[in-house]
């Protein structure tokens, strides 16, 4: 275990149009009238009729420039991202990604959080985690969140991280689930450990919030609200996220 390092052109006015292609004013007006009737009737012009008109009424100067999406060698096909792997001596099984909704699979998106690069933003309602990138992108991961009454929100920081961390159930959890008493001194890291392959520990004002961003062997829980408050990712995703966190990154949970 280690701590994270710090660290087509139309004729112009006045251009001549050949006599064979000259249209009378009456023909133009009658054609426009027919199109107007079609529009008023809400008719479809597909399937052998007139082609649908696709008019752009936005001037060129006002078209927004969509930020470019970066290329990242670790954001590739799901079959590669969620393949089986060996990590830390453990054989992490393949994730049947076709059973995971596409929106919850790791991908690069346009950043809409407004936060600084390096910030981790967890959107509880969306069940998404965003790692803000320089240049207007974010890497997005699907997450599982806490059940009602077990959620935390606010601004904090990642204090440190652990690979294949030990999990120690808090006393109140043991009270609810007495069978966990066997782990009161800590469950060693491993494939069945609830914290999965990695854990990032959230501190606020220098104090441990008790909440973690961590992996989970329960990939089917992604997109669900069923944890005891922590934010969980597919093991392959938390390994990827952990590799990108190099400082005490800010965390925003909303």
């Amino acid at each position: 275990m280690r701590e994270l390092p710090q660290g087509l052109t139309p004729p112009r006015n006045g251009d001549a149009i050949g006599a064979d292609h000259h249209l009378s004013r009456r023909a133009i007006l009658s054609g426009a009238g027919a199109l107007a009737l079609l529009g008023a009737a809400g008719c479809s012009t597909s399937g052998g009729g007139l082609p649908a008109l696709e008019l752009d009424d936005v001037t060129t100067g006002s078209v927004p420039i969509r930020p470019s999406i970066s290329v990242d060698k670790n954001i590739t096909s799901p079959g590669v991202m969620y393949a089986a792997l060996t990590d830390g001596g453990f054989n992490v099984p393949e994730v049947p990604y076709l059973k995971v909704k596409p929106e919850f699979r790791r991908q690069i998106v346009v950043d809409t959080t407004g936060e600084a690069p390096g910030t981790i933003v967890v959107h509880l309602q969306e069940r998404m985690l965003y790692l803000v990138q320089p240049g207007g992108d974010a890497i997005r991961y699907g997450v599982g969140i806490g059940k009602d009454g077990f959620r935390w929100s606010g601004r904090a920081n990642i204090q440190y991280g652990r690979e294949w961390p030990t999990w120690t159930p808090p006393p109140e959890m043991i009270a609810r689930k007495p069978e966990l008493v066997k782990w009161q001194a800590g469950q060693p890291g491993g494939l069945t450990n609830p914290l999965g392959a990695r854990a990032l520990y959230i501190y606020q004002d220098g104090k441990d919030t008790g909440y973690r961003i961590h992996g989970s062997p329960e990939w089917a829980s992604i997109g669900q609200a069923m944890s005891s408050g922590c934010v969980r990712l597919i093991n392959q995703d938390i390994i990827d996220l952990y590799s990108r966190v190099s400082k005490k990154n800010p965390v925003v949970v909303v």
Side-chain angles (χ1 to χ4, degrees), residues 41-243:
C43 297
S44 170
T45 58
S46 62
L50 292 171
L53 296 179
E54 296 181 359
L55 303 180
D56 183 359
D57 59 359
V58 180
T59 60
T60 302
S62 65
V63 175
I65 304 301
R66 185 174 185 270
S68 62
I69 296 297
S70 67
V71 175
D72 188 297
K73 65 183 179 65
N74 291 321
I75 311 295
T76 181
S77 69
V80 172
M81 293 189 295
Y82 298 114
L85 60 94
T86 299
D87 179 89
F90 297 99
N91 296 319
V92 182
E94 174 186 13
V95 173
Y97 67 87
L98 290 176
K99 295 183 179 180
V100 178
K101 291 183 177 180
E103 60 266 33
F104 293 136
R105 302 173 197 162
R106 188 193 323 164
Q107 54 198 279
I108 299 176
V109 299
V110 174
D111 174 47
T112 59
T113 69
E115 298 291 340
T119 304
I120 295 171
V121 180
V122 178
H123 198 297
L124 296 173
Q125 185 173 7
E126 292 181 356
R127 315 291 205 259
M128 302 289 187
L129 181 151
Y130 299 82
L131 177 60
V132 182
Q133 303 292 290
D137 303 344
I139 301 175
R140 191 181 75 188
Y141 311 80
V143 300
I145 64 170
K147 297 175 288 189
D148 289 343
F150 289 86
R151 299 173 195 156
W152 174 88
S153 62
R155 287 182 173 268
N157 287 84
I158 297 301
Q159 186 73 10
Y160 61 93
R162 293 284 184 266
E163 298 183 12
W164 296 101
T166 297
W167 174 65
T168 304
E172 56 270 25
M173 182 178 288
I174 294 176
R176 296 194 308 269
K177 299 180 178 181
E179 66 273 17
L180 296 178
V181 67
K182 62 181 178 179
W183 302 125
Q184 62 183 351
Q187 179 182 0
L191 295 174
T192 61
N193 187 298
L195 294 182
R198 304 285 190 276
L200 298 169
Y201 295 75
I202 301 176
Y203 276 57
Q204 187 177 53
D205 299 326
K207 298 180 180 179
D208 189 355
T209 64
Y211 293 95
R212 317 285 185 242
I213 297 172
H214 63 83
S216 174
E218 299 177 332
W219 56 265
S221 67
I222 301 306
Q224 306 297 317
M226 56 189 299
S227 77
S228 295
C230 293
V231 177
R232 58 172 66 177
L233 290 79
I234 295 172
N235 270 328
Q236 283 86 339
D237 282 345
I238 191 64
I239 292 172
D240 180 82
L241 175 63
Y242 188 95
S243 71

